[in-house]
Amino acid sequence: MSVIRVGTRGSALAMAQTTAVANRIQAAIGGDVEIIPITTHGDVSRESLSSLGGTGVFASALREALLNDECDVVVHSFKDLPTDPYAGLAIGATPKRADARDVLCARDGFTLATLPEGAKVGTGSPRRVAQLREMRPDLEVVDIRGNVGTRLALVTDETLHAVVLAAAGLGRLGLLENVATDYLELSDWPTAPGQGALAIEVREGKPDRLLTKALAVLNHATTQATVTAERHVLARLEAGCAAPIGATAVIDDGLLFLTATVYSPDGTRRITASHAATPESHSTADLQDAALDVAERAARELLAGGAAEFAPLSVTS
């Protein structure tokens, strides 16, 4: 393999994060890297995310290109990736995570607490809708689609008072400090499982020597473990993008902590489960075992507490 071809969505954000990954690959192997833009249905449709079929709408075209040998790796935003395995493909690396928080981007410097009563706030995320309705039931929540620039323009032209976006995406675009008016802390406002993290997907089987080297450099074991914990809760609850679920995992002082929350779509009910585990070592295998352990316990507690009674989950027990 003389050139490593990196597939990505063609949006400004996807290109920015993929360019950063490609630069790291190039530095690791000392060889050539080519970025291959791929258009997905989710990029061109203006339908709501839930009606489009959920997170997989952004991933399927990339995965097919990878399987068809149009590229050697693809870069996903982990929160856009379905939890079900995809035949023939595997996650080759999980780079170090960026800021997992959401931020409010509002006109006139408003924060979530200071937005006027009846203010219009835009989001395309059922989780964010539920959280906004829980914390500020007086607000008018508006369903929006489009890339980061399109969403921010709705605030600039005063169509909306504010939008809620991911800090990581804004940071990768170099916009965060200019547009964020309120950072929503994870303790009060948990975000999507895997938010802020990237997934480097490859074809199954033993990779080429240069690609193996690149994947080893890219992978960040702590991020891999925390994202595994968050996403395994999602998988156990058989929940997709229509389910308002937030999850936050961290590793601190040798412990892996996970907190997961399920909301009702209208924000009037929620249930939270928090668990911790002590990995036997800092090896990737032991970190993964601890991640799966806390996720299993959290999912069981959420289901036992009745999460499936008020949230759109596929499981019933």
Side-chain angles (χ1 to χ4, degrees), residues 16-254:
Q17 62 196 26
T18 299
T19 298
V21 169
N23 289 342
R24 289 195 64 196
I25 293 175
Q26 193 162 34
I29 67 173
D32 293 329
V33 178
E34 181 183 1
I35 294 177
I36 309 292
I38 297 162
T39 300
T40 76
H41 180 53
D43 291 316
V44 297
S45 174
R46 297 275 69 84
E47 297 175 65
S48 69
L49 183 59
S50 56
S51 67
L52 280 172
T55 50
V57 70
F58 294 117
S60 57
L62 297 178
R63 289 172 146 178
E64 288 306 306
L66 184 55
L67 285 172
N68 292 335
D69 197 27
E70 297 170 29
C71 50
D72 304 302
V73 302
V74 292
V75 180
H76 302 280
S77 290
F78 230 140
K79 69 182 179 66
D80 292 337
L81 203 60
T83 56
D84 290 337
Y86 201 84
L89 301 181
I91 303 300
T94 306
K96 187 175 182 179
R97 190 180 211 163
D99 192 336
R101 292 177 293 179
D102 278 342
V103 293
L104 187 79
C105 302
R107 65 167 101 146
D108 303 322
F110 285 123
T111 65
L112 184 58
T114 62
L115 279 169
E117 185 174 349
K120 295 181 178 180
V121 181
T123 178
S125 159
R127 168 188 57 82
R128 290 170 179 155
V129 170
Q131 290 171 316
L132 285 166
R133 287 174 173 165
E134 178 192 47
M135 300 184 78
R136 287 291 307 270
D138 59 295
L139 299 175
E140 180 181 346
V141 183
V142 180
D143 182 57
I144 60 173
R145 281 293 318 279
N147 59 31
V148 171
T150 300
R151 297 182 186 214
L152 289 173
L154 295 172
V155 179
T156 304
D157 68 14
E158 300 192 353
T159 300
L160 300 175
H161 290 81
V163 294
V164 182
L165 297 170
L170 292 170
R172 288 168 179 142
L173 288 169
L175 299 174
L176 185 59
E177 293 184 2
N178 297 326
V179 300
T181 58
D182 194 9
Y183 287 78
L184 307 176
E185 297 302 328
L186 295 171
S187 56
D188 300 317
W189 186 281
T191 52
Q195 182 161 311
L198 301 177
I200 313 302
E201 197 163 33
V202 298
R203 290 183 290 275
E204 284 184 336
K206 186 173 177 59
D208 168 89
R209 179 183 60 83
L210 286 180
L211 184 54
T212 298
K213 181 179 180 181
L215 295 174
V217 170
L218 287 171
N219 196 59
H220 186 254
T222 298
T223 298
Q224 185 181 21
T226 53
V227 169
T228 294
E230 294 168 8
R231 284 172 53 80
H232 191 65
V233 172
L234 200 62
R236 280 283 286 107
L237 298 180
E238 296 183 22
C241 75
I245 295 175
T248 303
V250 297
I251 295 178
D252 185 41
D253 198 25

